[in-house]
Amino acid sequence: MVYSIKTWSLIFEAIKELFYEIDDIDIEEDPTRNMYFLSMKVYRKKLMQKDISNGMLKTIYYIVELFTMSDDSLVLIDEFENGLGVNCIDILCELMLSERNDLQLIITSHHPKIINAIDAKRPCNGSKEELEKIYDDCIKDGERVSTLINYTITAEE
């Protein structure tokens, strides 16, 4: 799928907001492997995707998905905070809640910053029965996944 210059500009802006040390971001082709990779300049030094930390890549992945996801998508993320740096959590949560109001987010987390950030901004409007069904349907290795992001959900009856 091809995205507009405007979409890529929004993505790169969001990434630079989180990682102020990034001077430039680009996508480069590796013709020998018929693949594209992320590259960036950090403090005027070029880094290829293999040189970028997993936490930074995961954050960039979330941002790209956020801006390129189909309208009205359902987004399920288990243990959202795993692999993210603490410096990213606040801004990434705010970005996810402010950029795409059409998305339905179901996120699990144990991290208080995430629970508090999302709790107040986007309450769940499902009935108690709907929420319990969603929770029960989220099975991982025969056991329930982590507590839903808003484990104190006040559902409309």
Side-chain angles (χ1 to χ4, degrees):
M1 185 170 267
V2 177
Y3 298 102
S4 70
I5 299 284
K6 181 182 176 186
T7 301
W8 287 116
S9 295
L10 290 170
I11 290 168
F12 292 159
E13 246 178 65
I15 292 169
K16 287 179 184 182
E17 182 180 338
L18 276 165
F19 302 106
Y20 62 88
E21 64 275 13
I22 296 175
D23 299 320
D24 192 26
I25 303 169
D26 202 1
I27 307 294
E28 296 191 21
E29 183 179 11
D30 181 347
T32 62
R33 294 170 51 190
N34 198 24
M35 297 175 80
Y36 291 88
F37 293 96
L38 181 71
S39 72
M40 62 178 65
K41 283 188 184 172
V42 178
Y43 300 122
R44 290 182 239 124
K45 179 183 175 186
K46 184 175 182 176
L47 297 176
M48 296 305 292
Q49 185 169 323
K50 65 181 177 56
D51 303 315
I52 301 168
S53 75
N54 286 337
M56 184 182 270
L57 286 174
K58 185 173 183 178
T59 302
I60 291 169
Y61 169 78
Y62 280 145
I63 292 170
V64 170
E65 286 295 317
L66 178 68
F67 284 98
T68 60
M69 198 169 290
S70 300
D71 291 346
D72 301 317
S73 291
L74 171 64
V75 182
L76 303 167
I77 305 173
D78 186 27
E79 297 188 16
F80 174 75
E81 75 278 7
N82 282 358
L84 295 178
V86 254
N87 60 324
C88 298
I89 291 174
D90 291 339
I91 297 171
L92 192 55
C93 283
E94 182 61 36
L95 190 67
M96 291 182 77
L97 293 172
S98 64
E99 288 299 323
R100 295 288 304 273
N101 291 326
D102 63 309
L103 300 178
Q104 182 176 357
L105 302 170
I106 299 177
I107 299 173
T108 66
S109 179
H110 297 285
H111 201 289
K113 275 187 168 183
I114 295 171
I115 293 168
N116 292 333
I118 294 176
D119 202 11
K121 304 254 187 212
R122 191 180 276 185
C124 184
N125 293 324
S127 71
K128 183 177 180 182
E129 291 76 23
E130 289 172 319
L131 294 172
E132 286 173 350
K133 180 172 180 356
I134 291 169
Y135 186 80
D136 288 337
D137 288 345
C138 292
I139 303 294
K140 183 177 180 182
D141 299 324
E143 294 182 22
R144 288 183 177 178
V145 294
S146 308
T147 305
L148 284 171
I149 185 70
N150 186 355
Y151 58 87
T152 57
I153 291 173
T154 53
E156 293 179 356
E157 297 289 339

